[in-house]
């Protein structure tokens, strides 16, 4: 089943701050606790009318958008979102917002900053957030996309097609929404001024205190139309606000986590890849080092390999749903690596894949920076190892043995060659040194 939950990357002031209290009171709901709040009175405006014009921002909660709501793409989970958010937040510096006040924006009311340096730094943060997390975003359906494109300019339509949301890049405007459309109040004399005055009174204490973007808030919509609530908060690594004394670097790639490396281990059947990788894994702490990708294979579980067994039908279904980053076929068997490795790489963790020689050309198109490690061994030793696994017999065994010479390491460039004809720890130590380099 498709997960209908949506997630958004927002800025939300600290729950115990004057800003959060004012925002939650104004909108009538605390997105941290989910509790309703008593809204302030607006002179000359019935409570029901005020509640109506704040209905839309109330559902989303008091926030400023950094990356708009999205569903997780097939193959990714909340755990991947959480890991990426932690990695992203660890690289960010807090941004002080100067010049903030209550202003009209299009046809609604919002908190905005008039300070150009604050805007510049917030825009850069939002741009990093939009691009970094886009890996996880599921593409909208044709119906959703058609609805989102309605009434947009050509540039906004292009941004929606690229990022799923029109108000990104140069169209982005930092704001914290206070009302829905106010055009319905044009016929009510003094209503606009009354709302502005009430907002000023509600936020008076907050406006007298500093406002700093010092963390990321992940909001979650559990079902379509449900109120969004804060699912997780991720504090930035530095509590010191970025200086607002001069322009920032709009191309600050240093503000993103450094990507991990992908190692693709290849070699003929029986060369000892599984044993080598297990030896290396045993030398590393459980909570550190590279990720050893688990393969999904259309083969029954076997003591010689820890993989995800799948039927051909379930494998094809997962492939069609886009749940594999890598997939190949060998010996009438399908192999796949689930998309979670892409999130691991984005967080800076190295990933090790037990792969296939035939797949190297496709790998290089998908992951040009992947490092290929080619394991070789004496043919007699390979035969002994294959026979010892007892997976195949007769013609199937001979066919697998023939495949061990079908590809030679000399046919590919840019690979690291490791001989595993000797004691396991010799080749294993070399692999370990490469992974930890």
């Amino acid at each position: 089943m498709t997960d209908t939950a949506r997630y958004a990357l927002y800025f939300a002031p600290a729950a115990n701050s004057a800003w959060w209290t004012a925002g939650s009171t104004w909108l009538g709901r605390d997105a941290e606790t989910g509790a309703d709040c008593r809204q302030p009175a607006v002179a000359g405006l019935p409570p029901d009318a005020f509640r109506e014009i704040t209905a839309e921002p109330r559902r989303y909660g008091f926030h400023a958008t950094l990356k708009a709501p999205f569903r997780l793409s097939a193959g990714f989970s909340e755990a991947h979102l959480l890991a990426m958010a932690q990695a992203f937040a660890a690289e960010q510096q807090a941004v002080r917002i100067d010049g903030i006040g209550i202003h009209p924006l299009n046809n609604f009311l919002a908190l905005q900053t008039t300070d150009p340096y604050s805007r510049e730094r917030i825009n850069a943060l939002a741009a990093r957030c939009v691009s970094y997390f886009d890996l996880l975003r599921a593409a909208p359906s044709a119906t959703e996309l058609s609805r989102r494109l309605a009434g947009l300019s050509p540039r906004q339509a292009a941004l929606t097609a690229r990022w799923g949301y029109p108000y990104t890049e140069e169209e982005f405007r930092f704001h914290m929404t206070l009302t829905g459309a106010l055009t319905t109040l044009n016929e009510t004399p003094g209503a606009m001024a009354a709302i502005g005055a009430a907002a000023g009174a509600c936020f008076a204490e907050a406006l007298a205190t500093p406002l700093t973007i010092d963390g990321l808030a992940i909001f979650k919509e559990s079902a379509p139309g449900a109120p969004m609530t804060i699912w997780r908060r991720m504090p930035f690594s530095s509590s010191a606000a970025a200086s607002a004394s001069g322009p920032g670097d709009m191309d600050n790639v240093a503000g993103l986590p450094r990507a991990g490396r992908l190692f693709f281990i290849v070699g003929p059947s029986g060369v000892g890849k599984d044993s080598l990788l297990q030896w290396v894994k045993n030398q590393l702490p459980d909570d550190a080092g590279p990720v050893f990708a688990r393969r999904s294979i259309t083969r029954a579980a076997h003591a010689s390999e820890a993989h995800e067994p799948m039927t051909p039908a379930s494998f094809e279904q997962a492939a069609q749903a886009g749940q594999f980053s890598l997939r190949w076929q060998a010996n009438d068997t399908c192999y796949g690596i689930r998309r979670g490795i892409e999130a691991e790489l984005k967080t800076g963790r190295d990933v090790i894949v037990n792969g296939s020689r035939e797949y190297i050309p496709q790998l290089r198109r998908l992951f040009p920076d992947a490092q290929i490690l080619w394991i070789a061994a004496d043919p007699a030793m390979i035969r002994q190892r294959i026979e010892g696994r007892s997976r195949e017999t007769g013609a199937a065994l001979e066919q697998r043995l023939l495949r061990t010479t079908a590809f030679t390491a000399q046919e590919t460039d840019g690979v690291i060659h490791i001989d595993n004809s000797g004691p396991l720890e010799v080749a294993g130590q070399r692999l370990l040194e490469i992974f930890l380099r």
Side-chain angles (χ1 to χ4, degrees):
M1 294 180 61
T2 301
D3 187 356
T4 59
R6 291 197 306 165
Y7 304 84
L9 287 307
Y10 289 161
F11 160 62
N16 58 353
S17 68
W19 282 100
W20 185 254
T21 299
S24 299
T25 299
W26 177 261
L27 296 181
R29 187 175 72 89
D30 187 324
E32 185 90 49
T33 64
D36 289 338
C37 302
R38 184 187 179 99
Q39 290 183 282
V42 177
L45 194 68
D48 287 348
F50 180 55
R51 190 162 183 82
E52 178 63 25
I53 65 170
T54 54
E56 184 176 2
R58 177 166 54 255
R59 185 171 83 81
Y60 286 90
F62 186 55
H63 74 277
T65 298
L66 296 175
K67 185 169 181 65
F70 60 92
R71 293 189 305 275
L72 292 175
S73 184
F76 294 112
S77 67
E78 285 186 343
H80 296 128
L81 171 59
L82 188 60
M84 285 182 60
Q86 289 172 328
F88 180 85
E91 297 297 325
Q92 307 310 310
Q93 185 181 44
V95 179
R96 188 180 69 242
I97 307 174
D98 293 326
I100 193 162
I102 301 170
H103 304 281
L105 179 60
N106 297 328
N107 61 355
F108 61 95
L109 204 63
L111 287 157
Q112 300 173 77
T113 173
T114 57
D115 179 67
Y117 300 135
S118 295
R119 284 202 303 262
E120 182 182 37
R121 294 180 184 280
I122 298 168
N123 290 357
L125 171 63
R128 291 195 296 271
C129 194
V130 166
S131 63
Y132 180 74
F133 289 97
D134 209 56
L135 167 71
L136 303 176
R137 179 179 61 87
S141 66
T143 301
E144 288 174 324
L145 185 58
S146 176
R147 185 176 67 250
R148 293 178 190 179
L149 293 176
L152 298 181
S153 69
R155 176 55 180 162
Q156 291 169 345
L159 291 171
T160 300
R162 174 64 185 89
W163 303 114
Y165 190 64
Y167 306 111
T168 56
E169 298 188 19
E170 78 280 3
E171 293 282 342
F172 174 79
R173 300 289 184 273
F174 170 81
H175 65 280
M176 306 182 80
T177 304
L178 299 182
T179 71
L182 296 174
T183 50
T184 57
L185 299 180
N186 290 338
E187 304 299 323
T188 306
M192 303 286 277
I195 289 176
C202 183
F203 283 90
E205 181 183 350
L207 288 166
T209 63
L211 180 61
T212 298
I213 301 178
D214 55 2
L216 197 65
I218 306 177
F219 278 54
K220 179 177 179 179
E221 178 191 73
S222 58
M228 297 196 78
T229 56
I230 295 179
W231 178 60
R232 293 286 191 280
R233 285 185 182 267
M234 297 290 164
F236 290 166
S237 60
S238 173
S239 60
S243 170
S245 61
D249 180 3
M250 295 297 288
D251 299 315
N252 179 20
V253 295
L256 292 175
R258 191 167 115 185
R261 300 169 296 173
L262 177 63
F263 295 100
F264 199 68
I265 317 300
V266 302
S269 295
V271 81
K273 289 186 296 177
D274 290 335
S275 298
L276 270 177
L277 293 178
Q278 187 59 52
W279 185 91
V280 171
K281 192 173 184 179
N282 291 342
Q283 313 309 308
L284 296 169
D286 292 337
D287 58 348
V291 175
F292 291 81
R294 187 185 184 202
R295 301 193 296 183
S296 302
I297 308 177
T298 54
R299 184 165 60 217
H302 193 278
S304 67
E305 182 174 33
H307 65 276
E308 177 192 10
M310 301 185 73
T311 64
S314 63
F315 186 96
E316 182 60 25
Q317 184 179 19
Q320 291 300 319
Q323 295 192 16
F324 296 125
S325 292
L326 310 170
R327 62 187 178 102
W328 62 91
Q329 188 171 350
N331 293 311
D332 298 320
T333 302
C334 296
Y335 297 79
I337 304 296
R338 292 196 176 266
R339 289 200 70 192
I341 67 163
E342 297 173 50
E344 298 284 5
L345 290 168
K346 291 281 277 187
T347 66
R349 296 197 69 182
D350 294 339
V351 175
I352 299 169
V353 173
N354 185 347
S356 169
R357 296 165 292 172
E358 300 95 311
Y359 191 70
I360 289 175
Q362 295 96 314
L363 172 78
R364 284 177 161 163
R365 286 195 294 270
L366 295 170
F367 295 91
D369 297 327
Q371 299 186 26
I372 300 166
L373 305 180
W374 194 297
I375 313 300
D378 179 77
M381 183 169 290
I382 289 176
R383 181 181 188 100
Q384 180 181 357
R385 289 170 177 166
I386 292 177
E387 291 175 340
R389 292 191 314 201
S390 302
R391 279 192 204 155
E392 301 97 353
T393 58
L397 173 61
E398 293 304 320
Q399 183 181 16
R400 183 173 286 274
L401 288 169
L402 284 173
R403 287 191 69 258
T404 65
T405 58
F407 295 85
T408 62
Q410 289 75 21
E411 292 177 356
T412 61
D413 300 322
V415 301
I416 298 175
H417 307 288
I418 297 176
D419 188 273
N420 191 34
S421 299
L424 186 65
E425 59 269 21
V426 174
Q429 187 61 43
R430 183 159 183 221
L431 267 183
L432 185 61
E433 291 169 359
I434 292 170
F435 295 154
L436 297 180
R437 187 177 299 165

